[in-house]
Amino acid sequence: MNITTKRIAAATSLAAASLLAAVVPASADPVDASGLTCDGQTYECVANLDFGDGNWTASWGAGVMHVDDLAQQRSPVGVTKVTCDGDTWTCTANLDFGDGGWTAEWGAWIAHEDKDEDAREAPVDVYELTCDGDEGKCVAKLDFGDGRWAAEWSARIKHS
């Protein structure tokens, strides 16, 4: 990539960010996420965001796999609430651990999408979401097949 191409790419990225900032209303607080689904065909998890017209989503890449025994995981803890923030491009899960100040945070693509279900592949619902500070991962158990499918992604586990 030559210097001109780099400058064009940087200007395009800046223009896209400026356009997004102009279109997306600023919000100082993250918004609640619900309807978490993961898709083994696209290796992506998507959460519906409680924002605006209801067509906002957060999505992130996740490894989707069949697990022989989910109980073999170290010691993940439950998640009490998931929020996503379009200003910081992150989703945060409040963890049911210790004094309640522990969270897991991961980068997510925040987008406004057409709610036409036929336009997407066939994501499946998540019935349990846990995060593990020892592993630095969150795992979503998927309501699919024999019940032993899961989506996993890296997350920053921190205490605030």
Side-chain angles (χ1 to χ4, degrees), residues 133-156:
D134 295 327
E135 297 281 325
K137 295 180 190 172
C138 290
V139 175
K141 293 181 183 176
L142 306 180
D143 187 14
F144 180 77
D146 63 2
R148 297 170 77 178
W149 287 87
E152 175 182 274
W153 59 90
S154 296
R156 292 176 298 282

Side-chain angles (χ1 to χ4, degrees), residues 68-139:
D68 287 332
D69 186 0
L70 289 173
Q72 289 179 349
Q73 297 173 17
R74 291 188 84 178
S75 54
V77 297
V79 171
T80 59
K81 183 178 183 180
V82 177
T83 59
C84 297
D85 190 329
D87 295 327
T88 62
W89 301 93
T90 57
C91 289
T92 302
N94 296 341
L95 304 181
D96 189 13
F97 180 77
D99 63 1
W102 289 91
T103 59
E105 183 179 270
W106 59 92
W109 175 249
I110 311 296
H112 188 269
E113 297 190 358
D114 182 3
K115 285 294 193 177
D116 181 6
E117 289 299 319
D118 294 333
R120 291 185 7 198
E121 292 293 323
V124 297
D125 290 336
V126 169
Y127 68 88
E128 183 179 324
L129 176 60
T130 58
C131 297
D132 188 331
D134 295 327
E135 297 281 325
K137 295 180 190 172
C138 290
V139 175

